[in-house]
Amino acid sequence: MLDIAEELNRWVEQGRDFAVATVVAVTGSAPRRPGAALAVDSAGTAIGSVSGGCVEGAVYELCQQALQDGATVLERFGYSDEDAFAVGLTCGGVIDILVTPVRSDAAGSALRAVFAAALSTAARGDAAALARITEGPDALRGRALLVRPDGSYEGGLGGHPQLDRTAAAEARALLDAGRTGTVVLGERGSRCGQPLTLLVESSVPPPRMIVFGAIDFAAALARAGAFLGYHVTVCDARPVFATRDRFPDADEIVVDWPHRYLASTAVDRRTVLCVLTHDAKFDVPLLELALRLPVAFVGAMGSRRTHEDRDRRLREIGVTERELARLHSPIGLDLGARTPEETALSIAAEIVAVRRGGSGVPLTGAHTPIHHDRPRTRAIGSVA
């Protein structure tokens, strides 16, 4: 649901009643992952998507019904071999959809307050997690808890008092990792009692892409990074090249020595570092630091000769083989790219493949999954 927070927050501010349908579980191949949502207001306006079109019509009707009767429902959609006209996913997967009415009447005011706080927080770009019961007693299904990075929370799941505290701790762990996923725990907040399944949606600031080297390829990569949802920074030590006119798609432009800037800025496990300077005086000190940071991706541009020379220089200053193994160089997938735009596509494709676990081979004739990332479910005390 938080993927459409900006639009839904406007609906809340305008006082609209609406129902939101959220993907809470996926089995097999499906176009949208848990957390994807479609919402319908009382006037019939719809925003968002849960399946890329396969079951949207049926889900739209479920939302309208939920607005009328005020009931939260869990519905499963999957491909049917027996009934070719059944509503389902043509890709062969199965999705579970939780449909929740968000109304302003007395019965819905408590849930609406939690949703309003979650949507406002996500729309501002601040970090928060929304935990909702998707499977369990009918009386608890749909109950929600908003959890903030400091561990504080508001709302309630309606069960044993320990349930909220345990759910908040689990949600905070997923929020710290920037992940959306499911958690299974007992109705008393432990392994005891009837099991409950919670969907935890994490809303975190966009991941960072830092592009080093103010060249034409960097301008194209900044556009690609913005398209993929990254907060893009372009850094170069030369002020004549690192200008807003040359990089209109970057969120920020920094004039500084690359290694000095990297040492002073915040990065995390979602950060992507793209080194396009292919100049040893910039590359070597920058990569020495970059390869020792807990980031998602480190790639460097250059010919194979440049790559071999760079590796040699890095070894000479003490970079280990294990650290060097993290370096994607020459950066990008083999697409036969020539232009800056084609090269940016090549680099972006490799970043997606590394992030999602893709092979980079053509899907035609391949026997690999189309959708690689899987929903991660864990029980209390287990390791994700």
Side-chain angles (χ1 to χ4, degrees):
M1 181 186 76
L2 299 184
D3 64 334
I4 53 174
E6 190 171 345
E7 295 92 337
L8 283 183
N9 187 53
R10 284 196 291 268
W11 285 11
V12 170
E13 291 174 342
Q14 293 165 0
R16 300 195 208 182
D17 287 352
F18 59 91
V20 60
T22 307
V23 178
V24 297
V26 173
T27 303
S29 180
R32 302 300 307 275
R33 310 309 300 169
L38 180 148
V40 180
D41 73 359
S42 55
T45 303
I47 57 173
S49 171
V50 291
S51 71
C54 302
V55 300
E56 311 292 1
V59 173
Y60 180 91
E61 293 178 2
L62 285 173
C63 287
Q64 290 187 311
Q65 184 63 43
L67 275 171
Q68 292 178 21
D69 58 30
T72 295
V73 298
L74 183 67
E75 190 77 18
R76 173 164 292 179
F77 294 92
Y79 183 79
S80 173
D81 289 323
E82 290 75 24
D83 184 357
F85 296 99
V87 175
L89 300 180
T90 57
C91 54
V94 176
I95 58 174
D96 290 343
I97 303 287
L98 183 73
V99 182
T100 305
V102 183
R103 305 194 304 184
S104 52
D105 56 15
S109 60
L111 180 63
R112 187 180 180 91
V114 178
F115 274 41
L119 293 169
S120 175
T121 301
R124 292 195 306 269
D126 295 337
L130 182 67
R132 285 185 283 165
I133 296 176
T134 61
E135 293 185 44
D138 290 343
L140 300 184
R141 185 176 295 155
R143 296 289 186 92
L145 192 72
L146 174 63
V147 182
R148 304 189 186 280
D150 63 0
S152 62
Y153 57 88
E154 57 186 281
L157 300 179
H160 192 276
Q162 180 63 30
L163 177 60
D164 287 351
R165 293 191 289 270
T166 304
E170 291 293 303
R172 186 184 182 189
L174 285 170
L175 179 60
D176 287 345
R179 282 180 42 210
T180 289
T182 54
V183 175
V184 179
L185 54 135
E187 63 180 349
R188 293 181 176 271
S190 67
R191 293 185 180 181
C192 302
Q194 182 174 347
L196 304 174
T197 300
L198 278 68
L199 173 71
V200 179
E201 295 179 71
S202 293
S203 173
V204 292
R208 297 191 67 189
M209 172 185 283
I210 309 178
V211 183
F212 298 97
I215 61 176
D216 290 345
F217 293 97
L221 183 56
R223 288 195 293 276
F227 176 75
L228 291 175
Y230 286 95
H231 178 95
V232 180
T233 300
V234 175
C235 175
D236 196 294
R238 303 164 298 176
V240 68
F241 294 113
T243 66
R244 173 55 63 188
D245 287 343
R246 298 190 70 227
F247 299 97
D249 298 289
D251 294 286
E252 58 180 342
I253 300 165
V254 175
V255 178
D256 200 351
W257 277 77
H259 71 283
R260 188 164 60 192
Y261 173 68
L262 182 59
S264 66
T265 194
V267 298
D268 60 27
R269 295 186 183 279
R270 301 181 301 147
T271 302
V272 168
L273 306 178
C274 300
V275 181
L276 309 188
T277 47
H278 52 81
D279 183 329
K281 68 177 180 288
F282 294 119
D283 290 2
V284 173
L286 173 60
L287 289 171
E288 180 186 14
L289 173 60
L291 293 172
R292 291 166 177 165
L293 292 175
V295 295
F297 179 92
V298 181
M301 177 178 278
S303 66
R304 298 199 181 279
R305 178 177 294 181
T306 298
H307 166 73
E308 291 171 0
D309 177 68
R310 188 164 49 211
D311 272 10
R312 177 182 58 79
R313 291 172 183 266
L314 288 168
R315 288 188 181 94
E316 288 175 352
I317 60 174
V319 176
T320 67
E321 294 300 321
R322 184 174 183 177
E323 291 165 343
L324 277 175
R326 298 185 60 209
L327 178 60
H328 297 266
S329 174
I331 193 172
L333 298 184
D334 180 12
L335 305 183
R338 292 285 186 177
T339 67
E341 291 73 21
E342 290 173 347
T343 302
L345 176 62
S346 166
I347 295 170
E350 184 179 24
I351 291 170
V352 173
V354 169
R355 181 184 177 196
R356 300 299 189 190
S359 66
V361 303
L363 292 174
T364 302
H367 299 287
T368 57
I370 294 176
H371 304 292
H372 283 263
D373 51 337
R374 293 282 184 261
R376 301 172 185 176
T377 303
R378 62 186 179 124
I380 292 292
S382 67
V383 179

